[in-house]
């Protein structure tokens, strides 16, 4: 289930697309609260 090829090992904050839950640390992959996709808050999305 790994589809992240960027710097996934860097510690950062990840925010859930769906519920806005924030997880600090390595990429959780899925939101622990609702299971939706997470995005790196340090990576602006165009
Ligand atoms: Zn969520």
């Amino acid at each position: 289930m790994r589809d992240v090829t960027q710097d996934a090992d860097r510690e950062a904050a990840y925010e859930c697309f769906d519920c806005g839950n924030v997880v600090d640390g390595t990429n959780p992959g899925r939101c622990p609260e609702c299971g939706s996709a997470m995005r790196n808050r340090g990576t602006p999305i165009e």
Side-chain angles (χ1 to χ4, degrees), residues 16 18-21 31 33-36:
C16 176
D18 200 44
C19 73
N21 181 44
C31 177
E33 296 293 327
C34 72
S36 292

Side-chain angles (χ1 to χ4, degrees), residues 13-26:
Y14 292 83
E15 182 176 8
C16 176
F17 276 115
D18 200 44
C19 73
N21 181 44
V22 175
V23 176
D24 290 317
T26 54

